[in-house]
Amino acid sequence: MQNVIRGAALAALAFAAGTAQAETVKLQLKWVTQAQFAGYYVAEAKGYYKEEGLEVEILPGGPDIAPAQVISGGGADVIIDWMPSALAAREKGLPLVNIAQPFKSSGLMLTCLKETGITSPADFADKTLGVWFFGNEYPFLSWMSALGLKTDGSAGGVTVLKQGFNVDPLLQKQAACISTMTYNEYGQVLDAGIKAEDLVTFKYEEQGVATLEDGLYVLEDNLKDPAFEDKMVKFVRASMKGWKDAEANPDEAAMIVLEADQTGAQTEAHQKFMMGEVAKLTAGSNGALDEADYTRTVTTLLGGGSDPVITKEPVGAWTHQITDKALQ
């Protein structure tokens, strides 16, 4: 009996030690559970985080959740955000640092009804355009500034409709164009019965005003802690393994995301469509930020005329400190 008790005690100690060794990471998503974040869900489902000794809690976002506010309040270790929003927050005093950049290309675009007569950006003048806010407006404002179009509704400029996170303004013809992502809202427009030939799209990437999206950001001071740095190295390594797995197996990744969605709002068809499009945006990235992409983003944001998104060249806004070790 003593041997049985001793064995059980040793087993309990071993389990406790194993549990204690697991490092926790809280990841705040930019939006709800969907294939936009497939790499992280794949890394969790396939044990890539566990292999690194990590226990990762993936926190879904939503219309009332601002990742920068979450990390500022201590609710997350690392967040997913677009660089324009992160750099704007940094200039305002929140020291966010980009530690990895899984998304190489931008999926943002304006989708317009062909019947409005819009055939080029020059035709935006005196039109109503739907725009997302909560930090998502910065790329749009930079683009309009580059075009010389005021956004106050004055003659010769554009009227900005504060767009909810849906495509209703286009369907109801409240706006000539709306903001869409190649992997999400554009598909929703098609699903609503509008044919592709009845639409005109303007991808930010093709207009030369693309800015970086869906990067991983942490607070600058945390990077001074060797233990935190090591944890982020493990996290980025496992996450990129998840992303490359998702790229190679998009349908499987979509099903993993669907399984993780606790709201029941997502559908298999839409998640598979989304994953196929998202894979195009992560392709070409190993996770390390391309400095040329960063420079292009900063140049675009600074080029806002009298009302730029950021007013000065950022310093210390990104680092290869994590990816140099994670990608060895």
Side-chain angles (χ1 to χ4, degrees):
M1 177 62 71
Q2 287 180 340
N3 287 338
V4 171
I5 294 174
R6 187 180 299 113
L10 289 173
L13 285 172
F15 175 79
T19 303
Q21 289 171 1
E23 299 177 278
T24 60
V25 175
K26 287 188 176 182
L27 169 66
Q28 176 63 60
L29 304 184
K30 184 171 175 60
W31 192 238
V32 298
T33 300
Q34 58 184 22
Q36 177 183 357
F37 312 109
Y40 310 104
Y41 285 109
V42 169
E44 172 65 23
K46 294 201 170 182
Y48 300 152
Y49 289 135
K50 188 175 182 181
E51 289 171 4
E52 294 284 355
L54 300 178
E55 184 178 318
V56 177
E57 183 179 0
I58 302 175
L59 305 170
D64 300 320
I65 297 174
Q69 291 180 5
V70 174
I71 198 170
S72 176
D77 298 297
V78 55
I79 64 173
I80 297 169
D81 208 350
W82 288 3
M83 185 167 282
S85 176
L87 292 182
R90 185 177 178 86
E91 186 165 293
K92 293 174 183 174
L94 183 64
L96 292 174
V97 179
N98 179 297
I99 60 167
Q101 187 60 47
F103 275 46
K104 174 70 175 174
S105 305
S106 167
L108 183 61
M109 61 184 183
L110 281 182
T111 295
C112 312
L113 291 171
K114 186 176 288 186
E115 66 186 48
T116 62
I118 293 175
T119 59
S120 76
D123 300 320
F124 292 156
D126 298 314
K127 297 293 195 301
T128 296
L129 309 180
V131 182
W132 295 315
F133 278 72
F134 302 102
N136 301 308
E137 73 272 24
Y138 297 130
F140 171 83
L141 294 176
S142 288
W143 186 14
M144 293 303 107
S145 181
L147 292 172
L149 295 173
K150 291 186 177 181
T151 56
D152 58 3
S154 57
V158 301
T159 297
V160 174
L161 184 150
K162 194 171 184 179
Q163 183 183 333
F165 293 94
N166 56 57
V167 298
D168 292 349
L170 194 75
L171 302 182
Q172 298 170 6
K173 300 186 179 181
Q174 297 169 336
C177 311
I178 61 169
S179 299
T180 61
M181 302 303 294
T182 56
Y183 52 79
N184 194 2
E185 291 78 15
Y186 180 71
Q188 292 177 20
V189 172
L190 298 179
D191 288 343
I194 299 180
K195 297 178 180 179
E197 54 264 33
D198 294 326
L199 298 169
V200 179
T201 59
F202 301 94
K203 295 181 179 179
Y204 282 57
E205 196 76 48
E206 294 174 355
Q207 297 299 319
V209 291
T211 52
L212 286 170
E213 299 163 3
D214 286 48
L216 293 171
Y217 294 84
V218 301
L219 293 177
E220 189 170 342
D221 282 350
N222 288 340
L223 289 172
K224 299 173 184 176
D225 178 1
F228 181 83
E229 176 189 335
D230 183 61
K231 184 164 68 172
M232 287 300 102
V233 168
K234 295 173 182 176
F235 172 74
V236 168
R237 182 162 51 224
S239 295
M240 289 313 301
K241 189 174 180 181
W243 270 119
K244 294 306 145 182
D245 191 317
E247 281 180 30
N249 306 286
D251 284 354
E252 180 189 28
M255 297 307 294
I256 288 173
V257 170
L258 204 61
E259 182 69 25
D261 173 39
Q262 298 181 355
T263 68
Q266 307 295 357
T267 67
E268 179 178 339
H270 189 60
Q271 289 310 298
K272 286 183 175 180
F273 165 81
M274 185 181 292
M275 187 60 237
E277 293 299 317
V278 166
K280 299 174 184 177
L281 306 182
T282 57
S285 172
N286 64 357
L289 174 66
D290 184 325
E291 191 169 353
D293 292 340
Y294 167 81
T295 300
R296 185 192 70 236
T297 294
V298 169
T299 299
T300 297
L301 299 179
L302 285 170
S306 61
D307 190 25
V309 172
I310 53 176
T311 61
K312 57 189 176 183
E313 187 88 25
V315 176
W318 65 277
T319 181
H320 282 158
Q321 173 182 347
I322 302 301
T323 51
D324 279 350
K325 295 181 178 180
L327 304 175
Q328 285 178 351

